[in-house]
Amino acid sequence: MFNYKKLGILMLVAIFVATFALAAYSQKKYEDVTVTVVTESGYQRNSAVMAKNAWEEEYEGEIEIVTFPFGELYQKIMTTFTMGQAQFDVLIFPSGWMGDFAGGGYLEPLDKYLAEDEDFNMNEVMPIFRDRIIKWAGKTYSLPYDGDLHNIVVRTDLIDNPEYKEQFREEYGYELDVPETWKEYRDIAEFADGWDWDGDGEEEHGAAEAMQKGTQSYWMFLSRAAPYMAMPGQPGFMFDPETMEPLVNKPGFVEALKAYKEIQNHGLPGALNVNVSDVRDAFAAGEAALAIDWGDTAINASTLEGSEVQGKYQAAMTPGTKKVWNRKTGEWYEFEKFPSVNHAPFLAFGGWTAGITKHASNKEAAYSYISLLTGPEHSLKAVTTAETGRQPYRQSHFASVDEWTRFGFTDPDKEYLNAVQRSLSYPNSRPDLRIPGLQRYYDALDAQITRALTGELSPRKALDNVANRWEQITDDLGRERQLELYRQSLGLSPKEE
Amino acid sequence: MVPRKVRLTLTYIILIFWSFMVLLPIYWLFTTSFKTRGAVIGGTKYLPWAQFKPTIQPWINIIEEETLVLSLTNTAVIASISAFLALLFGTMAAYGLSRYKFHFGFFQNRDIMIWIISQRMMPPIVTAIALFIMLKWFNLLDTRIGLIMVYVAFNLPIAVWLMENFFSQIPETLEEAARIDGASRLQIFGRIVLPLAMPGLVATFFLCFVFGWNQFLFALTLTWRNARTLPVLIAAQHAQAGPQWWRISAMTVVTIVPPIIISTYVREHLVKGVVTTNK
Amino acid sequence: MAPAVIVLLIFTVFPFLFTIFLSFSNVSLVGGLSINFEGIQNWVRLLHDGRFWNSISNIALFVSLGVVLEYILGLSLAMLLRQKIPGREFFRILFLMPISITPLAVGYMFRMLYHPSRGVFNNILSSIGLPTINFLGDPDLAMFFVIATDVWHWTPLIFLLLTAGLQGIPESYLEAAQIDGANSWQRFRYIIFPQLIPTSIAAILLRSIEASKFMDKLYILTGGGPGISTETPTLFAYLSGLNNFDLAYGATIAMAFFVLVLVFFILTFLVITWFGLTKLGRA
């Protein structure tokens, strides 16, 4: 006998479930919501605007983008925080400020939103971002937005030329190839400097590197210093995580500063006044054999209209060293057989990242914006668009070779992606410093490096000055607290008394 | 002696050269605001239509932006209210100083005057940091009221100085005559002095307005969004990498047009004021 | 008068005294604002801070060279437009235009013109076969091009003041001189210029005071760079105090700078009155 009663109940249940499912799956709208997004006024703004248009179409709310020049951004955000007023909902900020922002308790933890965000696909985000950069003290405070790191580019029409290989072997006694160590890098720079090896009628230069003060050039120095200092298994390389003693005047740093200074002789003319955008221009114009930079040099070289080096270069992980300073023993540790070279790719700057403030007026709407901004689909578009300043950080970014070819690359893997991917997944890669007062520490470093580069001070003396200043800053900000936050930033447990 | 014709030609060459120098930056700003990204990045393009195709896209973009509308309103409100208050307080002080004798110990009219004017000598940065902390105490950071009060103090010395000069040109005999006719102090001030000082008032108001409109350091320090003024907004478009010059230019044109128009309009008054204050 | 005095007391005198206090304090913003008296540490640090003295020498160069150039140009233009020639009024209005332009906007205009590869100036230089110049990127040159910007902006003010001064010279003097056979140089040298001295001094002083506060255009043009080669005390104090949040040290820089400015202008004032060059009593 057919039971109509049961059927009725069943139908009711079905309708109920269907409504729920529909409600859950139908797009939530934020018609009367305005989300205020704060970021820097150059590339990051472009990127925020791209996502704004997409978000407004999808959610029917409004995004207001407030920008500050990079030099003002930190101060303005901190001012609104210390005012204790809700001013901004979404922040797109350098991950180095995580210590000040998340450590200061101004950001909203995102774990619970992420748990419900099925499309975000966090699993495919490169581990160093997924597990470290976006986290603070075990919680997620931002979404991965930008895979910033340094790599080098080298001209293949130089290193693959059999005739030059021959010459190079005669002079230096080994094979001319992509440099594996900073010494090889230096040799190639010297070899390539001052003659016309690409037949364009103009003399080429060796290595294009940013050295101008106040233009982010100290990161070039840090990238160089990392392998001299980053002993595998010893976390952190700028401070001792036991005592907060600066390591910046240890022999590894001194050695790196000497090498950085020496490369002037094989660099662009007037090397001391070269900044990152000069490096990008010079490499794209075919004036240099080597360059070190964030991804932009590679991107410009391949995608810029009028680039002279399309298809004529390849990217590689930053070189390593044959020896590393072991701070535990106070001695150099020499690498001999396997591994024969110590690499320590440095995640200079650590990339931009997107978070929500604790006081955001509508956190769900704010989250939906950053989720769209950093989610698989939109971020792929952004990383393969010029002047967004974003670099790949998801597996799918690396896999979508077609998008990169459309963007202008001849051989995306060789010219860019492999180097980035290798660096990001390298076991001994090192995140940038992320403690409060970051800018003060780096300003001091910047000022003294310049004095060493101009020859006013010896590298040793300059770095001693930095170490003294860093000690002062640490004392100013409170040593105990700095040490604790430094350890947190490295993912270490709090120090036991 | 150099022949007159040669001299005249030379004069015109110099004058035209300087005119060119004056106009070039303004022309460049104006045309850039009608350029596309390609026209800015693709080299030095001087002539619209001939070298690049003008577009009104940058203008459409900035007009759609709420932040620009907000900043424009902020700037207009803050500059005019602060100019009005500076004028009001400045006029009162200046009239007092020009008509009555004050003694605070050895401190007399002339000393008070010098003291007020000397405030103008002090670089704004000297007070900016302290004002930042003070406004934080009163919860007035990033508010129009906070900025207005600071601007009033910033403009007062100029207002007092100019108005004192205008008042001292008004013959006191007129006021005495009115007093004999039985007019009260307020009547004398309202019916006789104010109308005569009107050109000076107008000039001073607009001068303070322009100073307030263009003020940067205080606005930069004390605001970030709600009370952000135009100079700070355009400064905020500045970027190390990839500045959007077409957009910046359009915003900058919006910023400079009002003070240019106002200044040209009140120039006559200003010249009069300056001539008399420098004798 | 009371309201004016009260406003000045609250928003100028008190902040001024407060700044003095701050310069002897330790200010922290971590976990809320706290101000603690500390002693002379900030001042000791300042005296040994090469960056401060660098900013002082920068502003000294900026003010002296800038104001001199502005004066020479302003005077020349005023003299040229003293002649009753067709188009005189037009030129006057045109020449005065820069004065009212927002300083920050001037910064942007010149930054575009100075652009190393797309800027107008380098475009002109290379089209007539001259080498291009890295206007704002060369530490040895940047200050001079920053000064050039200021000259563009403020020459008109000197021009305005001197034009007014010229109008105050009685025609009868000049006619008398002409009858005596003085040529135009002699008339300038012995009649016009002496008569212009008070106006000139007032104009130069006014400009020097304003120029010493220089920061707005710089903020856009170079931000104090390359390195610190164009950094002025105002910018340095701003960057230290309000950008790095080292509020106490920023206050110290500002105060030390003000003391130097004050000393300089008092000395100038004494020299001027000593020579009896002008009666600054009223102004």
Side-chain angles (χ1 to χ4, degrees), chain A residues 132 226 229-241 247 253 325 327 428-433 486 489-492:
Chain A
R132 297 187 64 175
M229 286 302 293
M231 179 88 180
Q234 293 181 355
F237 70 101
M238 292 188 231
F239 292 95
D240 186 328
L247 302 172
F253 273 104
W325 182 255
R327 65 171 186 250
N428 196 31
S429 65
R430 298 290 167 138
D432 203 341
L433 200 56
Y486 182 55
S489 77
L490 296 173
L492 298 174

PDB file of all heavy atoms in Angstrom, chain A residues 132 226 229-241 247 253 325 327 428-433 486 489-492:
ATOM      1  N   ARG A 132      53.674  29.965   5.952  1.00  0.00           N
ATOM      2  CA  ARG A 132      54.463  30.908   6.730  1.00  0.00           C
ATOM      3  C   ARG A 132      54.062  32.373   6.517  1.00  0.00           C
ATOM      4  O   ARG A 132      53.680  33.050   7.451  1.00  0.00           O
ATOM      5  CB  ARG A 132      55.944  30.726   6.411  1.00  0.00           C
ATOM      6  CG  ARG A 132      56.381  29.333   6.816  1.00  0.00           C
ATOM      7  CD  ARG A 132      57.839  29.134   6.690  1.00  0.00           C
ATOM      8  NE  ARG A 132      58.589  29.993   7.604  1.00  0.00           N
ATOM      9  CZ  ARG A 132      59.899  29.907   7.729  1.00  0.00           C
ATOM     10  NH1 ARG A 132      60.578  29.041   7.011  1.00  0.00           N
ATOM     11  NH2 ARG A 132      60.539  30.692   8.548  1.00  0.00           N
ATOM     12  N   ALA A 226      72.384  36.244   2.026  1.00  0.00           N
ATOM     13  CA  ALA A 226      71.650  35.092   2.566  1.00  0.00           C
ATOM     14  C   ALA A 226      72.459  33.785   2.504  1.00  0.00           C
ATOM     15  O   ALA A 226      72.630  33.129   3.539  1.00  0.00           O
ATOM     16  CB  ALA A 226      70.304  34.952   1.874  1.00  0.00           C
ATOM     17  N   MET A 229      75.166  33.375   5.019  1.00  0.00           N
ATOM     18  CA  MET A 229      74.778  33.385   6.428  1.00  0.00           C
ATOM     19  C   MET A 229      73.776  32.298   6.796  1.00  0.00           C
ATOM     20  O   MET A 229      73.663  31.927   7.961  1.00  0.00           O
ATOM     21  CB  MET A 229      74.154  34.742   6.787  1.00  0.00           C
ATOM     22  CG  MET A 229      75.113  35.892   6.918  1.00  0.00           C
ATOM     23  SD  MET A 229      76.408  35.623   8.152  1.00  0.00           S
ATOM     24  CE  MET A 229      75.468  35.611   9.682  1.00  0.00           C
ATOM     25  N   ALA A 230      72.997  31.847   5.808  1.00  0.00           N
ATOM     26  CA  ALA A 230      71.872  30.966   6.137  1.00  0.00           C
ATOM     27  C   ALA A 230      72.319  29.522   6.145  1.00  0.00           C
ATOM     28  O   ALA A 230      72.188  28.791   5.165  1.00  0.00           O
ATOM     29  CB  ALA A 230      70.740  31.183   5.144  1.00  0.00           C
ATOM     30  N   MET A 231      72.854  29.101   7.248  1.00  0.00           N
ATOM     31  CA  MET A 231      73.255  27.713   7.449  1.00  0.00           C
ATOM     32  C   MET A 231      71.977  26.876   7.499  1.00  0.00           C
ATOM     33  O   MET A 231      71.087  27.167   8.300  1.00  0.00           O
ATOM     34  CB  MET A 231      73.992  27.640   8.778  1.00  0.00           C
ATOM     35  CG  MET A 231      74.458  26.275   9.157  1.00  0.00           C
ATOM     36  SD  MET A 231      76.098  25.991   8.465  1.00  0.00           S
ATOM     37  CE  MET A 231      76.399  24.340   9.072  1.00  0.00           C
ATOM     38  N   PRO A 232      71.885  25.859   6.663  1.00  0.00           N
ATOM     39  CA  PRO A 232      70.666  25.038   6.717  1.00  0.00           C
ATOM     40  C   PRO A 232      70.427  24.543   8.141  1.00  0.00           C
ATOM     41  O   PRO A 232      71.374  24.144   8.826  1.00  0.00           O
ATOM     42  CB  PRO A 232      70.990  23.871   5.777  1.00  0.00           C
ATOM     43  CG  PRO A 232      72.009  24.426   4.834  1.00  0.00           C
ATOM     44  CD  PRO A 232      72.811  25.410   5.621  1.00  0.00           C
ATOM     45  N   GLY A 233      69.186  24.636   8.569  1.00  0.00           N
ATOM     46  CA  GLY A 233      68.863  24.193   9.913  1.00  0.00           C
ATOM     47  C   GLY A 233      68.958  25.273  10.973  1.00  0.00           C
ATOM     48  O   GLY A 233      68.515  25.072  12.093  1.00  0.00           O
ATOM     49  N   GLN A 234      69.543  26.421  10.610  1.00  0.00           N
ATOM     50  CA  GLN A 234      69.568  27.533  11.570  1.00  0.00           C
ATOM     51  C   GLN A 234      68.591  28.610  11.118  1.00  0.00           C
ATOM     52  O   GLN A 234      68.878  29.346  10.180  1.00  0.00           O
ATOM     53  CB  GLN A 234      70.973  28.146  11.665  1.00  0.00           C
ATOM     54  CG  GLN A 234      71.998  27.214  12.277  1.00  0.00           C
ATOM     55  CD  GLN A 234      73.376  27.846  12.375  1.00  0.00           C
ATOM     56  OE1 GLN A 234      73.609  28.960  11.909  1.00  0.00           O
ATOM     57  NE2 GLN A 234      74.307  27.136  12.977  1.00  0.00           N
ATOM     58  N   PRO A 235      67.446  28.696  11.767  1.00  0.00           N
ATOM     59  CA  PRO A 235      66.434  29.639  11.273  1.00  0.00           C
ATOM     60  C   PRO A 235      66.868  31.095  11.489  1.00  0.00           C
ATOM     61  O   PRO A 235      67.531  31.405  12.469  1.00  0.00           O
ATOM     62  CB  PRO A 235      65.200  29.302  12.111  1.00  0.00           C
ATOM     63  CG  PRO A 235      65.706  28.581  13.303  1.00  0.00           C
ATOM     64  CD  PRO A 235      67.009  27.944  12.935  1.00  0.00           C
ATOM     65  N   GLY A 236      66.471  31.933  10.548  1.00  0.00           N
ATOM     66  CA  GLY A 236      66.770  33.359  10.665  1.00  0.00           C
ATOM     67  C   GLY A 236      68.220  33.616  10.337  1.00  0.00           C
ATOM     68  O   GLY A 236      69.076  32.780  10.611  1.00  0.00           O
ATOM     69  N   PHE A 237      68.536  34.739   9.701  1.00  0.00           N
ATOM     70  CA  PHE A 237      69.946  35.020   9.473  1.00  0.00           C
ATOM     71  C   PHE A 237      70.325  36.469   9.760  1.00  0.00           C
ATOM     72  O   PHE A 237      71.467  36.846   9.638  1.00  0.00           O
ATOM     73  CB  PHE A 237      70.382  34.601   8.064  1.00  0.00           C
ATOM     74  CG  PHE A 237      69.831  35.445   6.941  1.00  0.00           C
ATOM     75  CD1 PHE A 237      70.623  36.415   6.341  1.00  0.00           C
ATOM     76  CD2 PHE A 237      68.538  35.278   6.498  1.00  0.00           C
ATOM     77  CE1 PHE A 237      70.125  37.195   5.303  1.00  0.00           C
ATOM     78  CE2 PHE A 237      68.038  36.047   5.452  1.00  0.00           C
ATOM     79  CZ  PHE A 237      68.833  37.002   4.856  1.00  0.00           C
ATOM     80  N   MET A 238      69.356  37.294  10.172  1.00  0.00           N
ATOM     81  CA  MET A 238      69.706  38.681  10.467  1.00  0.00           C
ATOM     82  C   MET A 238      69.867  38.919  11.966  1.00  0.00           C
ATOM     83  O   MET A 238      70.592  39.795  12.385  1.00  0.00           O
ATOM     84  CB  MET A 238      68.671  39.608   9.874  1.00  0.00           C
ATOM     85  CG  MET A 238      68.732  39.597   8.352  1.00  0.00           C
ATOM     86  SD  MET A 238      67.696  40.832   7.626  1.00  0.00           S
ATOM     87  CE  MET A 238      66.766  39.865   6.459  1.00  0.00           C
ATOM     88  N   PHE A 239      69.122  38.141  12.763  1.00  0.00           N
ATOM     89  CA  PHE A 239      69.263  38.217  14.214  1.00  0.00           C
ATOM     90  C   PHE A 239      69.418  36.811  14.754  1.00  0.00           C
ATOM     91  O   PHE A 239      68.935  35.855  14.164  1.00  0.00           O
ATOM     92  CB  PHE A 239      68.019  38.848  14.851  1.00  0.00           C
ATOM     93  CG  PHE A 239      67.836  40.285  14.549  1.00  0.00           C
ATOM     94  CD1 PHE A 239      67.020  40.682  13.494  1.00  0.00           C
ATOM     95  CD2 PHE A 239      68.468  41.275  15.311  1.00  0.00           C
ATOM     96  CE1 PHE A 239      66.844  42.018  13.207  1.00  0.00           C
ATOM     97  CE2 PHE A 239      68.293  42.608  15.023  1.00  0.00           C
ATOM     98  CZ  PHE A 239      67.484  42.987  13.965  1.00  0.00           C
ATOM     99  N   ASP A 240      70.061  36.716  15.889  1.00  0.00           N
ATOM    100  CA  ASP A 240      70.134  35.440  16.586  1.00  0.00           C
ATOM    101  C   ASP A 240      68.812  35.232  17.323  1.00  0.00           C
ATOM    102  O   ASP A 240      68.456  36.032  18.193  1.00  0.00           O
ATOM    103  CB  ASP A 240      71.301  35.485  17.583  1.00  0.00           C
ATOM    104  CG  ASP A 240      71.532  34.133  18.229  1.00  0.00           C
ATOM    105  OD1 ASP A 240      70.540  33.391  18.408  1.00  0.00           O
ATOM    106  OD2 ASP A 240      72.688  33.830  18.562  1.00  0.00           O
ATOM    107  N   PRO A 241      68.074  34.169  16.995  1.00  0.00           N
ATOM    108  CA  PRO A 241      66.756  33.993  17.620  1.00  0.00           C
ATOM    109  C   PRO A 241      66.824  33.605  19.098  1.00  0.00           C
ATOM    110  O   PRO A 241      65.796  33.408  19.730  1.00  0.00           O
ATOM    111  CB  PRO A 241      66.095  32.896  16.781  1.00  0.00           C
ATOM    112  CG  PRO A 241      67.197  32.206  16.083  1.00  0.00           C
ATOM    113  CD  PRO A 241      68.358  33.136  15.992  1.00  0.00           C
ATOM    114  N   LEU A 247      73.130  39.895  13.558  1.00  0.00           N
ATOM    115  CA  LEU A 247      74.199  39.116  12.937  1.00  0.00           C
ATOM    116  C   LEU A 247      74.798  39.869  11.754  1.00  0.00           C
ATOM    117  O   LEU A 247      75.647  39.346  11.043  1.00  0.00           O
ATOM    118  CB  LEU A 247      73.641  37.769  12.454  1.00  0.00           C
ATOM    119  CG  LEU A 247      72.988  36.919  13.547  1.00  0.00           C
ATOM    120  CD1 LEU A 247      72.300  35.702  12.955  1.00  0.00           C
ATOM    121  CD2 LEU A 247      74.045  36.483  14.560  1.00  0.00           C
ATOM    122  N   PHE A 253      78.094  38.444   6.292  1.00  0.00           N
ATOM    123  CA  PHE A 253      77.594  39.704   5.758  1.00  0.00           C
ATOM    124  C   PHE A 253      78.736  40.554   5.192  1.00  0.00           C
ATOM    125  O   PHE A 253      78.601  41.192   4.154  1.00  0.00           O
ATOM    126  CB  PHE A 253      76.846  40.486   6.842  1.00  0.00           C
ATOM    127  CG  PHE A 253      75.390  40.121   6.954  1.00  0.00           C
ATOM    128  CD1 PHE A 253      74.938  39.317   7.990  1.00  0.00           C
ATOM    129  CD2 PHE A 253      74.480  40.584   6.025  1.00  0.00           C
ATOM    130  CE1 PHE A 253      73.592  38.979   8.096  1.00  0.00           C
ATOM    131  CE2 PHE A 253      73.133  40.254   6.123  1.00  0.00           C
ATOM    132  CZ  PHE A 253      72.688  39.450   7.161  1.00  0.00           C
ATOM    133  N   TRP A 325      78.621  30.930   6.979  1.00  0.00           N
ATOM    134  CA  TRP A 325      79.046  31.222   8.337  1.00  0.00           C
ATOM    135  C   TRP A 325      78.162  30.468   9.319  1.00  0.00           C
ATOM    136  O   TRP A 325      76.941  30.621   9.313  1.00  0.00           O
ATOM    137  CB  TRP A 325      78.962  32.726   8.597  1.00  0.00           C
ATOM    138  CG  TRP A 325      79.443  33.099   9.976  1.00  0.00           C
ATOM    139  CD1 TRP A 325      78.679  33.454  11.047  1.00  0.00           C
ATOM    140  CD2 TRP A 325      80.796  33.143  10.416  1.00  0.00           C
ATOM    141  NE1 TRP A 325      79.469  33.719  12.128  1.00  0.00           N
ATOM    142  CE2 TRP A 325      80.771  33.532  11.781  1.00  0.00           C
ATOM    143  CE3 TRP A 325      82.023  32.880   9.805  1.00  0.00           C
ATOM    144  CZ2 TRP A 325      81.941  33.675  12.534  1.00  0.00           C
ATOM    145  CZ3 TRP A 325      83.177  33.022  10.549  1.00  0.00           C
ATOM    146  CH2 TRP A 325      83.137  33.416  11.899  1.00  0.00           C
ATOM    147  N   ARG A 327      76.955  30.282  12.769  1.00  0.00           N
ATOM    148  CA  ARG A 327      76.973  31.180  13.927  1.00  0.00           C
ATOM    149  C   ARG A 327      77.071  30.414  15.239  1.00  0.00           C
ATOM    150  O   ARG A 327      77.433  30.985  16.260  1.00  0.00           O
ATOM    151  CB  ARG A 327      75.748  32.096  13.907  1.00  0.00           C
ATOM    152  CG  ARG A 327      74.439  31.386  14.060  1.00  0.00           C
ATOM    153  CD  ARG A 327      73.300  32.389  14.241  1.00  0.00           C
ATOM    154  NE  ARG A 327      72.078  31.704  14.515  1.00  0.00           N
ATOM    155  CZ  ARG A 327      71.050  31.619  13.665  1.00  0.00           C
ATOM    156  NH1 ARG A 327      71.115  32.188  12.483  1.00  0.00           N
ATOM    157  NH2 ARG A 327      69.964  30.969  13.998  1.00  0.00           N
ATOM    158  N   ASN A 428      65.934  25.532   1.746  1.00  0.00           N
ATOM    159  CA  ASN A 428      66.641  26.541   2.544  1.00  0.00           C
ATOM    160  C   ASN A 428      66.268  27.969   2.145  1.00  0.00           C
ATOM    161  O   ASN A 428      67.013  28.907   2.364  1.00  0.00           O
ATOM    162  CB  ASN A 428      68.159  26.339   2.394  1.00  0.00           C
ATOM    163  CG  ASN A 428      68.937  27.078   3.469  1.00  0.00           C
ATOM    164  OD1 ASN A 428      68.450  27.251   4.588  1.00  0.00           O
ATOM    165  ND2 ASN A 428      70.131  27.541   3.122  1.00  0.00           N
ATOM    166  N   SER A 429      65.095  28.163   1.546  1.00  0.00           N
ATOM    167  CA  SER A 429      64.720  29.532   1.174  1.00  0.00           C
ATOM    168  C   SER A 429      64.383  30.314   2.443  1.00  0.00           C
ATOM    169  O   SER A 429      63.955  29.752   3.444  1.00  0.00           O
ATOM    170  CB  SER A 429      63.543  29.524   0.218  1.00  0.00           C
ATOM    171  OG  SER A 429      62.416  29.013   0.865  1.00  0.00           O
ATOM    172  N   ARG A 430      64.638  31.618   2.381  1.00  0.00           N
ATOM    173  CA  ARG A 430      64.524  32.425   3.593  1.00  0.00           C
ATOM    174  C   ARG A 430      63.539  33.566   3.422  1.00  0.00           C
ATOM    175  O   ARG A 430      63.719  34.417   2.552  1.00  0.00           O
ATOM    176  CB  ARG A 430      65.895  33.027   3.925  1.00  0.00           C
ATOM    177  CG  ARG A 430      66.955  31.992   4.203  1.00  0.00           C
ATOM    178  CD  ARG A 430      66.682  31.298   5.507  1.00  0.00           C
ATOM    179  NE  ARG A 430      67.494  30.109   5.679  1.00  0.00           N
ATOM    180  CZ  ARG A 430      68.085  29.790   6.840  1.00  0.00           C
ATOM    181  NH1 ARG A 430      67.959  30.578   7.887  1.00  0.00           N
ATOM    182  NH2 ARG A 430      68.777  28.687   6.923  1.00  0.00           N
ATOM    183  N   PRO A 431      62.508  33.620   4.276  1.00  0.00           N
ATOM    184  CA  PRO A 431      61.579  34.754   4.223  1.00  0.00           C
ATOM    185  C   PRO A 431      62.276  36.020   4.724  1.00  0.00           C
ATOM    186  O   PRO A 431      63.274  35.953   5.432  1.00  0.00           O
ATOM    187  CB  PRO A 431      60.455  34.356   5.170  1.00  0.00           C
ATOM    188  CG  PRO A 431      60.706  32.949   5.553  1.00  0.00           C
ATOM    189  CD  PRO A 431      62.136  32.641   5.292  1.00  0.00           C
ATOM    190  N   ASP A 432      61.728  37.134   4.325  1.00  0.00           N
ATOM    191  CA  ASP A 432      62.273  38.419   4.761  1.00  0.00           C
ATOM    192  C   ASP A 432      61.946  38.659   6.245  1.00  0.00           C
ATOM    193  O   ASP A 432      61.100  37.975   6.820  1.00  0.00           O
ATOM    194  CB  ASP A 432      61.667  39.536   3.896  1.00  0.00           C
ATOM    195  CG  ASP A 432      62.537  40.774   3.876  1.00  0.00           C
ATOM    196  OD1 ASP A 432      63.386  40.924   4.764  1.00  0.00           O
ATOM    197  OD2 ASP A 432      62.354  41.596   2.965  1.00  0.00           O
ATOM    198  N   LEU A 433      62.660  39.613   6.813  1.00  0.00           N
ATOM    199  CA  LEU A 433      62.420  39.994   8.212  1.00  0.00           C
ATOM    200  C   LEU A 433      60.976  40.481   8.378  1.00  0.00           C
ATOM    201  O   LEU A 433      60.473  41.228   7.550  1.00  0.00           O
ATOM    202  CB  LEU A 433      63.392  41.126   8.543  1.00  0.00           C
ATOM    203  CG  LEU A 433      63.732  41.437   9.987  1.00  0.00           C
ATOM    204  CD1 LEU A 433      64.267  40.202  10.675  1.00  0.00           C
ATOM    205  CD2 LEU A 433      64.756  42.549  10.024  1.00  0.00           C
ATOM    206  N   TYR A 486      60.078  38.131  16.907  1.00  0.00           N
ATOM    207  CA  TYR A 486      60.999  37.587  15.913  1.00  0.00           C
ATOM    208  C   TYR A 486      60.873  36.067  15.856  1.00  0.00           C
ATOM    209  O   TYR A 486      60.786  35.472  14.791  1.00  0.00           O
ATOM    210  CB  TYR A 486      62.433  38.001  16.258  1.00  0.00           C
ATOM    211  CG  TYR A 486      63.482  37.532  15.280  1.00  0.00           C
ATOM    212  CD1 TYR A 486      63.376  37.823  13.927  1.00  0.00           C
ATOM    213  CD2 TYR A 486      64.581  36.807  15.712  1.00  0.00           C
ATOM    214  CE1 TYR A 486      64.345  37.389  13.024  1.00  0.00           C
ATOM    215  CE2 TYR A 486      65.558  36.376  14.824  1.00  0.00           C
ATOM    216  CZ  TYR A 486      65.432  36.665  13.481  1.00  0.00           C
ATOM    217  OH  TYR A 486      66.389  36.245  12.586  1.00  0.00           O
ATOM    218  N   SER A 489      57.790  35.116  14.152  1.00  0.00           N
ATOM    219  CA  SER A 489      57.842  35.286  12.703  1.00  0.00           C
ATOM    220  C   SER A 489      58.604  34.156  12.040  1.00  0.00           C
ATOM    221  O   SER A 489      58.390  33.838  10.882  1.00  0.00           O
ATOM    222  CB  SER A 489      58.483  36.636  12.351  1.00  0.00           C
ATOM    223  OG  SER A 489      59.881  36.559  12.506  1.00  0.00           O
ATOM    224  N   LEU A 490      59.506  33.526  12.775  1.00  0.00           N
ATOM    225  CA  LEU A 490      60.251  32.401  12.211  1.00  0.00           C
ATOM    226  C   LEU A 490      59.526  31.080  12.448  1.00  0.00           C
ATOM    227  O   LEU A 490      59.991  30.024  12.046  1.00  0.00           O
ATOM    228  CB  LEU A 490      61.647  32.317  12.846  1.00  0.00           C
ATOM    229  CG  LEU A 490      62.585  33.486  12.587  1.00  0.00           C
ATOM    230  CD1 LEU A 490      63.851  33.327  13.411  1.00  0.00           C
ATOM    231  CD2 LEU A 490      62.926  33.589  11.117  1.00  0.00           C
ATOM    232  N   GLY A 491      58.406  31.171  13.136  1.00  0.00           N
ATOM    233  CA  GLY A 491      57.670  29.955  13.437  1.00  0.00           C
ATOM    234  C   GLY A 491      58.277  29.161  14.582  1.00  0.00           C
ATOM    235  O   GLY A 491      58.037  27.966  14.720  1.00  0.00           O
ATOM    236  N   LEU A 492      59.093  29.826  15.424  1.00  0.00           N
ATOM    237  CA  LEU A 492      59.680  29.132  16.576  1.00  0.00           C
ATOM    238  C   LEU A 492      58.773  29.286  17.788  1.00  0.00           C
ATOM    239  O   LEU A 492      58.013  30.240  17.892  1.00  0.00           O
ATOM    240  CB  LEU A 492      61.054  29.727  16.903  1.00  0.00           C
ATOM    241  CG  LEU A 492      62.122  29.619  15.825  1.00  0.00           C
ATOM    242  CD1 LEU A 492      63.364  30.387  16.239  1.00  0.00           C
ATOM    243  CD2 LEU A 492      62.468  28.158  15.573  1.00  0.00           C
TER     244      LEU A 492
END
